[in-house]
Amino acid sequence: MSLLRLTFLGTSAAQPTLHRGLSGLAVKADADLLLFDCGEGSQRQMVRFGTGFTVDVAFFTHFHADHYLGIIGFLRTLGMMGRTSPMHLYGPAPARRLLHQAVHLGLESTAFPVEIHELKDGDVVRRGGYAVHAVGVDHRIHALGYVLAEDDRPGKFHLEKARALGVPEGPAFGKLQKGEAVTLEDGRVVKPEDVLGEARPGRRLVISGDTRPCPALVQASKDADLLVHESTFSDDEQERAQETRHSTAREAGQVAQSAGAKRLILTHLSSRHDTDPGKLLAQAREAYKGPVEVAFDGLTVELPLRD
């Protein structure tokens, strides 16, 4: 997988504002386009920010209305556009019941297959070149965070070693780079480890969803290239954060610092911080020593390959 790009569709908590839509994150993973949550208005944001509509899979962190009601209109739009390929929807219980109701609201059937899957902590969804891991988090209802973990990439191909072993240039080089052994004309077998360096670790993207700080998310975020963590409140709203099972920006920073995450982006902001999130940013920076920023609708981030 070469491309891993995030586009923030909505960064507001609970209600849309003039400047921020409801929760939604589009992730382009090579040819795949994934959605993580789909708040009301997400499809308009996809048009606005140019992500396209070729979504393969949607993952829901939980089923508060601001995180999933946008899927109703989005599926209808896809049907009107002539989609025929299946759509897969994943989320924690009660995903089957709630998503079935949403998908069929006002309709007996959809124009294309919609397959609904319930996930629990520890479940893994395999995709081409990467996997999405479900992580149980601490919210008022069943909720999941997600880790998109890229497969390890083959080590660096040493051209001179391959030539010295008599490997002919062309398809044989490609096979070795893919991890396949090659048999030469004289019968000798050249193995990938003969010409490749050590495997290079894949990238890790962590999406918290709505949650209090919790050990499971810290563990899941170990050495993450990017942690996208909700930061609904500031320090002076700590009591409200605990009551609603949300996080403050400082707590998001503490999670990132404890996990050793390489980068932190704050999202899911209370309307109190809609146009001036400076307080949230400052408090997160006091807790986390790495690079941190506050997301805004339309923010696009590409994660580079690890060396």
Side-chain angles (χ1 to χ4, degrees):
M1 184 171 72
S2 57
L3 177 65
L4 185 54
R5 182 174 64 219
L6 295 75
T7 301
F8 287 82
L9 304 176
T11 56
S12 182
Q15 61 189 34
T17 71
L18 181 62
H19 306 282
R20 297 178 184 271
L22 294 176
S23 292
L25 178 65
V27 176
K28 185 70 172 172
D30 272 351
D32 287 356
L33 180 60
L34 313 176
L35 277 183
F36 290 88
D37 287 334
C38 188
E40 182 183 354
S42 288
Q43 63 172 319
R44 183 179 183 279
Q45 299 289 70
M46 296 171 77
V47 174
R48 181 183 178 191
F49 303 129
T51 64
F53 278 5
T54 57
V55 174
D56 301 278
V57 179
F59 293 91
F60 296 91
T61 59
H62 66 293
F63 293 105
H64 280 148
D66 57 316
H67 287 257
Y68 84 99
L69 287 186
I71 197 67
I72 299 172
F74 182 54
L75 293 177
R76 279 147 184 72
T77 296
L78 294 180
M80 288 188 290
M81 295 174 66
R83 179 178 178 129
T84 57
S85 59
M87 171 74 82
H88 293 269
L89 308 179
Y90 293 87
R96 289 194 181 95
R97 176 173 61 83
L98 289 182
L99 287 176
H100 183 272
Q101 291 172 347
V103 168
H104 296 283
L105 183 64
L107 292 174
E108 291 186 2
S109 62
T110 55
F112 53 91
V114 177
E115 300 186 21
I116 300 171
H117 314 266
E118 280 190 358
L119 298 176
K120 60 183 184 301
D121 176 51
D123 284 346
V124 179
V125 179
R126 284 291 320 171
R127 303 286 297 175
Y130 66 95
V132 177
H133 301 251
V135 180
V137 294
D138 179 8
H139 195 39
R140 286 173 288 167
I141 61 174
H142 288 302
L144 296 172
Y146 292 103
V147 180
L148 191 158
E150 181 183 25
D151 296 346
D152 286 348
R153 295 182 294 122
K156 182 179 178 181
F157 181 71
H158 296 290
L159 180 62
E160 295 307 318
K161 285 186 178 182
R163 286 174 174 167
L165 290 169
V167 179
E169 295 190 28
F173 277 16
K175 286 185 177 180
L176 288 166
Q177 288 174 307
K178 293 177 182 177
E180 303 173 16
V182 170
T183 301
L184 305 182
E185 290 185 357
D186 60 8
R188 287 183 297 122
V189 176
V190 178
K191 299 177 182 179
E193 54 264 34
D194 297 329
V195 296
L196 296 179
E198 292 185 4
R200 292 169 288 184
R203 292 162 288 187
R204 290 174 60 83
L205 164 65
V206 182
I207 300 163
S208 75
D210 288 9
T211 183
R212 291 288 299 146
C214 59
L217 193 62
V218 172
Q219 182 61 38
S221 303
K222 294 289 185 184
D223 196 36
D225 294 81
L226 173 61
L227 169 60
V228 177
H229 200 293
E230 72 122 297
S231 56
T232 311
F233 298 112
S234 61
D235 286 352
D236 53 356
E237 301 162 301
Q238 181 70 55
E239 184 176 340
R240 180 67 174 154
Q242 292 173 329
E243 176 187 347
T244 59
R245 309 312 293 167
H246 283 293
S247 297
T248 66
R250 184 181 301 278
E251 288 171 331
Q254 290 167 346
V255 170
Q257 185 69 23
S258 297
K262 295 180 173 63
R263 184 177 180 183
L264 171 64
I265 295 182
L266 308 176
T267 190
H268 199 267
L269 278 59
S270 164
S271 59
R272 299 174 182 84
H273 309 286
D274 180 27
T275 58
D276 184 13
K279 181 187 292 187
L280 300 182
L281 185 60
Q283 291 171 359
R285 282 177 171 165
E286 290 174 359
Y288 174 60
K289 304 312 176 186
V292 55
E293 60 195 294
V294 178
F296 54 86
D297 290 13
L299 173 65
T300 299
V301 175
E302 289 196 18
L303 298 186
L305 291 168
R306 293 190 178 190
D307 292 334

